[in-house]
Amino acid sequence: MEMGLVNAFSGITGGEGALTSSRMNADSSKFMDLIRSVQGKEKETLSFSQVVQDGKLNGDFVSGFSGTFSSEADKAALPSGAAANQANAHVQPKKIDKTSKLYEKSLELESYFVKQMLSEMRKTVSKSALGGSDFAGKMYEDMLFDEYAASMTKNAGFGLADQIYLSLSV
């Protein structure tokens, strides 16, 4: 792109265009390094850990929750959503380490429950409104709803993951 067009785009988006562009360039650079190493132009071997995150299956395309919470404040956060409601106001609320592996797995379980809820809601919509009924369409639609569930889990603040974490960390 020409520089004038980039500056105009950044002016319209409040600088978000430049940030998005730099992220895309960094991701593109990492991807090209990975491609070069796979093709053997660099005498580096590709390890399994570079392809698949711990606990993920090869071909699992859901974005996941690793690295979602990484700040110091997340190591001693208060529960949110339903987990924040206490029956007794005199009980001190417990702290949650949102950077822990247990909390990450709690988020995955909450995401699974949200996905089940979305799947049941999707059954109420007529099939003609959802588009094609071929295998690929169903597969990509299912992947889309996986991402919807992950996004809702990260942003909606249901508190189910917090409650699961508190129950398991006793």
Side-chain angles (χ1 to χ4, degrees), residues 22-162:
S22 67
R23 285 181 182 159
M24 286 176 31
N25 287 339
D27 289 344
S28 176
S29 175
K30 288 179 189 175
F31 181 72
M32 290 310 295
D33 290 343
L34 183 64
I35 293 294
R36 279 194 288 282
S37 67
V38 169
Q39 290 175 339
K41 292 182 181 174
E42 297 174 10
K43 299 297 180 193
E44 213 175 283
T45 60
L46 184 64
S47 70
F48 185 71
S49 64
Q50 288 175 298
V51 178
V52 179
Q53 292 178 348
D54 185 30
K56 296 280 184 193
L57 298 174
N58 196 5
D60 191 1
F61 296 107
V62 178
S63 56
F65 299 100
S66 66
T68 301
F69 299 101
S70 58
S71 72
E72 285 298 315
D74 291 330
K75 292 186 179 198
L78 290 173
S80 63
N85 299 333
Q86 290 288 331
N88 187 347
H90 302 290
V91 174
Q92 192 73 348
K94 295 180 182 177
K95 303 283 185 182
I96 295 175
D97 181 7
K98 292 187 175 186
T99 61
S100 70
K101 200 71 158 166
L102 177 60
Y103 190 74
E104 182 181 327
K105 297 303 177 185
S106 299
L107 283 171
E108 288 180 13
L109 185 58
E110 179 180 339
S111 178
Y112 175 76
F113 288 138
V114 171
K115 170 75 184 321
Q116 293 303 314
M117 177 186 70
L118 291 174
S119 294
E120 292 302 315
M121 291 169 64
R122 184 173 47 178
K123 290 178 183 176
T124 65
V125 178
S126 68
K127 299 298 178 201
S128 62
L130 294 175
S133 61
D134 58 335
F135 176 74
K138 288 179 184 176
M139 181 180 69
Y140 285 116
E141 181 183 337
D142 194 56
M143 289 169 51
L144 174 67
F145 277 83
D146 284 341
E147 285 300 319
Y148 283 159
S151 179
M152 288 175 73
T153 299
K154 288 178 186 177
N155 301 315
F158 294 124
L160 183 60
D162 293 358

